Amino acid sequence: MALGVALLVLVLGLMFASGLSQGKTAKRKYIVWGTTTILIIAPFFSWAVSILFAISQEEGFADDVIVSVFLFNRTGYAVNRSL
């Protein structure tokens, strides 16, 4: 169920970004796709990967740990990079 939600949000986010970027300038497309990558693709892709890893390891705790590491690592990187 959780994997389906993550993949559904990924697909909907890609469709939304594709719709927003059609007919726009190159600069606007980079802004739309950069924002989409940061807010939609990265967190939900890492969530889907962590769920698959937890299933393969047969350990539900692995999912929680990997998601938190990915999210905190990406957030810290984004904050440090913008300074």
Side-chain angles (χ1 to χ4, degrees), residues 36-80:
T36 303
T37 301
I38 292 170
L39 297 178
I40 296 173
I41 295 172
F44 287 101
F45 181 73
S46 66
W47 185 22
V49 168
S50 66
I51 290 170
L52 291 174
F53 180 74
I55 290 170
S56 72
Q57 295 297 312
E58 298 175 357
E59 178 71 37
F61 182 69
D63 177 41
D64 299 332
V65 172
I66 291 175
V67 166
S68 63
V69 167
F70 278 149
L71 289 178
F72 288 126
N73 187 17
R74 292 188 189 285
T75 304
Y77 177 73
V79 169
N80 289 336

Side-chain angles (χ1 to χ4, degrees), residues 10-25:
L10 274 172
V11 170
L12 290 176
L14 290 172
M15 290 171 47
F16 181 70
S18 178
L20 278 179
S21 65
Q22 284 183 345
K24 305 292 182 185
T25 63

